[in-house]
Amino acid sequence: MLFRILKNSFLKRPKAVLLIFLSITMGAAVATAFLGISGEISHKMALELRSYGANILLEPSAVEGGFLREEDLPKIKTVFWKYNITGFTPYLFSIAEFSAGGKKERGVVSGTWFAKQLEVPGEDSSIQGIKGIAPWWEVQGRWPEDAAEAIIGAALAKRLNVVAGGDVTTIVRGRSQQFRIVGVVTTGGYEEEQLFAPLVTVQSLLQLPGKVSRVLVSALTVPMDDFGKKDPATMSKDEYEKWYCTAYVTSVAKNVEEVMAGSRAKPIWQIASAEGALLKKLNSVMLLLTVLALGASATAVSTSLMASMAERSPEIALMKAVGADRFQISAIFVGETLLISMAGGVVGYLLGDQLAEVISRTVFSSTIVSPLWLFPTAIISALSVAIAGSVVPLRRALLIEPVRVLKG
Amino acid sequence: MATTIIETGGLTRSYGDICALKPLDLQVPEGEWLSVMGHSGSGKSTLMNLVGGLDRPSAGSLMVGGEDLLALSEDGLARFRREFVGIIFQQHHLVPYLTAVENVMLAQYFHSVPDEAEARSALERVGLGHRLKNRPGELSGGEQQRVCIARAIINSPKLLLGDEPTGNLDHKSTVMIMELLKELRAEERFTVVMVTHNQEVAAWGDRTIYLDDGVLVREERTNS
Amino acid sequence: MVAVKLIPQLISWFGIVLVLLRGFPGLRSVVTTTSISGFAIGVSGAFFMFRSLPAAIPFGAVKSALGVSFLLLWGISVAAIYRSTGRRVTISSGARLVNTSIGAGTGAVLAGIITGLVCACRISGTDGNFPKLLFLVLIAGILTVIALAVEKRLPASLTVSPSGMLTAVVALLLFCSSSSLRLDLFSPLSMKVMKGVHDFVHQFMESVLIPDHLFVRSVVWGYIGLLFGKEVGFWGGMIIWFTPAILIALAINFQRLPSVAHIRQGARRRKLLADAIRNKRMLLITPLFSLAIFAAAAYQSSFPSVEYWDPKPEPVTASPSGEIFIPKKGEINLEDGKLHKYLFKQEGKEARFFVLLSPAGQLTVDLDACAICKPDGYGQAEGSVICYYCKTLIPLDTVGKPGGCNPVPIQFTEKADGVAIDGMTLLNAWSSTVRATARVKEGGK
């Protein structure tokens, strides 16, 4: 009987039903889209932070134009925190003239390790290099395996108009070296303006044998807390011991600095955490917008339900007069809103999913995969909007006095 | 003498400063057909609402069918209404989007469980066997009032209340409705309290009381 | 602390008492006294069992008690659905006994004993002390009194059928045991199902189909392959897990409504029907609610709530020659890639250590402490262990190597069936490592 009542009431008042359905659909769609995007952003960000392994930058200390020594590198695997250091990569940079197919462009040539087998006495052998430290690099083609092979940043490749398989001649201070391009790399960062070649080749090109201009180290670290931010110089002996044996990025950096002659280690977590803070703000804006949108649609539901309650008060009064108690009255009206909101939730989810994709394509220029939890979220937000929106109208309905309404 | 079904003592109802019903003592024996007459605003509808559990008195005592209506909660009054009382209003109130048979089933649903066959036979009893699937908008005033009667008696109430049930009907329909009610009462043996300002309608009852300005002024027994 | 760890168990106990009180109306005093005394018996029984027997025996006993109660539920549910199809089953004297005070008392005592055992297993394990257990019984008693008060406030129309009561009690028992890894039934059940299916398919194929398997085409093999998937165990387990409660709910749902055709007055007839339907719905609440509890138990079993795998240290002893031998197989499987903690005590000295199979396939034995931090111990997370003191994550493959905050490795000899460690070496390593920061407490944290 309940379903019969609901069915007939829907069929007889399509406009009112449609209005409520639309406001719930809108709310659910907006919630789905925003939550989907913000969820995806935090997901991506978490991935990035995890893969953004390099969190310590080693540079020559003070002196302009100084270099680090390549032979010191294996020592990094012997420091106190050696097991927390998951990888490191040396770089040697120089401005260079590139020419390919008659085109000449200026850019940066960068000598590095791609995946170098590193043997350290007393330690297990390990593979070090960009491949391990920057897993998010997208290489079209393959990684260099030979001394004369190189990969090229996407932006530089575009300027030079080369693709994988082409050749690029690199000229630094009159000396030239020809590289076979085996891959084009997309990183989304300044690396796209560089040409990456094996370290040895670049060292001989620059006539800087055994030299390195910076080292990026990636380490498993403990999140910074207030204790970690303290200046080690002001600590008591006990505190210093605890600080030293806690894997804060600063203490690991200090550790590495100690073994690399003439180096200064800078934790680069500042960058990551600044980025993180920005994204966090963005996320909370998204969340706020979602809550506002849901609130707005709850208000809309409430308003339209109020209107329809006013219109239906004779009906409610009649049901009361015939003997419906408060539970039965609520069952009819709440059931009605819940049914509409279920439908609204499903439609809103489908819409919101599309919306999220459009937004993320146009605003963030990335595609998103909508996570599974969005569906229940959409339904639940639709239901909660419906319930929030129907509290006041329902109370109003339950307060209706049949005598007043039915008076002839 | 039969048992008393309605018993009021000093029953009063006031809305703010306006006293709609001054202290009233009334007894209605079971099975009686009581007509309540008066001008509009005389308090006769107020009396009916009180007896039907639609409204609460301001003072006094009110026993209907052995239940103290003052002691019942909101939901208790609802239960009392659906199990004990059948009400017919002047403006044949029906749910506009439900068919005739569904309107009757609505009362069954609130009372217990709907039973379509029983609802149909109830409508057939009031002579609407051919209009089962019509919505109220497609029925004439007399027909709508007959749906209301079917709905009012579907739960076998002990007490049938009518608030000017024929107020909007022409003479012919009025007679038909009253005949129908008389027939049904003979079968179901419910007590009738009918509010009216029509002398002719009042004459169908066993006893008539006259209210004026909330006071019982006169009482007479009709011998029909 | 005890109470926090036992929250699921205590909630279950509260629910059990509530359901029992509702299920045996008019026997409140019997149910109250017997259930709480059952609880006390269970707790003290567990206490003495842990005192005098190796831990495996009480755990096994509790687990089989839980298993038997689940089987009983299965039996009752099948009988209930059979009866609901309209076939008359002669009500045995046992079923009639249910509503007497003896039946109620027995049921309450049994439920109390099992819950008490589970609670005691959860807190005490090997070294439960008496005050703690007394405290536990006290809390249970308080909860019983609260349940008694709450039950009085529940609406009178909320009735419980005997089968519904059994469902709820078993569901709650399984829920309160599911948070304890060694008492959990759902995971072993799915394992058994998987194994059973594998064995069956294997045998079946071998004996029936292989000799003449021409008609088994590759498509069919594809379907047979499904049976070997790892999902089979899970879904099979789910079916076995939820069926009894569903059957009992169905049995209640199939119950015949009273015959009302002889009542002439429509209103009275309908009123009777409506009352019967409402009564049935009320009876359905308990089994449906139990379904949710079963689901919660299965969830807890599939996703244990421990953030870090941190087993309680198992006490070990050395042989007269001073050698500690830990078998690879047996109650604990050393080579499952999990951290296994042990506690060695000798002459007032003690050392905590763990054995772990590294991802490279090497067994390592290490102190549950590193050279620098306070010996708070380690927990295992995915792919790493964490030092509780400095919260440093240590990659699993470096466990077994000295240095940093890595656990201090211990010399050991690997044998075919286990590992052997010299007791004195262990104690010396521990005391020299721990030195001044002597906060040797069990379990760390």
Side-chain angles (χ1 to χ4, degrees), chain C residues 169-197:
Chain C
V169 169
V170 172
L172 286 164
L173 283 177
L174 293 177
F175 172 71
C176 76
S177 64
S178 69
S179 57
S180 166
L181 277 170
R182 296 175 74 175
L183 294 181
D184 173 37
L185 276 189
F186 180 69
S187 300
L189 177 71
S190 5
M191 291 292 283
K192 283 252 157 52
V193 170
M194 178 146 72
K195 208 171 156 331
V197 170

Side-chain angles (χ1 to χ4, degrees), chain B residues 51-62:
Chain B
V51 169
L54 286 165
D55 195 8
R56 285 174 184 277
S58 311
S61 71
L62 175 58

Side-chain angles (χ1 to χ4, degrees), chain A residues 80-84 86 123-124 220-223 241-242 244-247, chain C residues 372-373 384 389-395 397-398 401-406:
Chain A
F80 178 76
W81 285 116
K82 58 192 171 191
Y83 299 127
N84 284 61
T86 54
E123 301 288 334
D124 292 345
L220 278 177
T221 59
V222 176
E241 192 172 294
K242 176 162 188 191
Y244 195 84
C245 88
T246 304
Chain C
I372 40 183
C373 297
S384 54
Y389 181 70
C390 68
K391 302 280 180 285
T392 300
L393 286 171
I394 291 135
D397 14 61
T398 73
K401 294 172 189 167
C405 192
N406 276 37

